[in-house]
């Protein structure tokens, strides 16, 4: 039986007591990184879905009327499309009444949070 504890055993015991704390911190870091990655992927999917909906609506409009919408507002009103203007910038450049307009959707920087608005 040892009456006094060696320095090495004290350090080892201290590390054993701190191990659960380090494990908890590591788990929290992994959780936050996973949530951040998932929200980034959701934003990209939402951006792609909006762009595809706008392009499909423009083609549908051409099929029904024989010409593409003149501006974005007309397309949004005719097909009741809404999007969050705080999260996305929509660029709609008409190329004439019989050519598909150039439509692109750009995510605003720092737009990973927010609710939907029209």
């Amino acid at each position: 039986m040892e009456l006094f504890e060696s320095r090495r055993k004290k350090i080892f015991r201290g590390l054993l007591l701190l191990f659960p704390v380090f494990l908890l911190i590591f788990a929290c870091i992994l959780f936050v990184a996973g949530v951040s990655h998932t929200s980034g992927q959701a934003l990209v999917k939402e951006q792609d879905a909006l762009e595809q909906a706008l392009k499909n609506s423009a083609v549908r409009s051409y099929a029904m009327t024989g010409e593409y919408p003149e501006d974005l507002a007309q397309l949004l009103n005719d097909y009741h499309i809404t999007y969050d203007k705080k999260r996305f910038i929509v660029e709609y450049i008409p190329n004439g009444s019989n050519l598909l307009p150039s439509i692109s959707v750009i995510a605003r920087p720092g737009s990973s949070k927010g609710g939907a608005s029209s």
Side-chain angles (χ1 to χ4, degrees), residues 34-78:
V35 168
S36 172
H37 180 68
T38 302
S39 67
Q41 286 179 338
L43 181 68
V44 169
K45 286 183 180 182
E46 188 176 345
Q47 178 181 352
D48 292 342
L50 176 59
E51 187 171 340
Q52 192 62 42
L54 291 170
K55 287 180 180 179
N56 288 345
S57 299
V59 169
R60 216 174 282 129
S61 178
Y62 182 77
M64 295 181 76
T65 63
E67 57 185 32
Y68 289 103
E70 294 178 15
D71 59 358
L72 179 63
Q74 181 183 355
L75 185 65
L76 295 176
N77 287 335
D78 289 349

Side-chain angles (χ1 to χ4, degrees), residues 2 9 18 46 79 85:
E2 293 182 26
K9 284 187 179 183
L18 290 177
E46 188 176 345
Y79 291 94
K85 295 176 182 174

Side-chain angles (χ1 to χ4, degrees), residues 15 19 24 32 43 45 60 71 83-84 92 106 111 117:
L15 288 176
F19 180 72
L24 179 64
V32 169
L43 181 68
K45 286 183 180 182
R60 216 174 282 129
D71 59 358
Y83 68 97
D84 190 353
Y92 184 90
I106 303 164
S111 62
S117 67

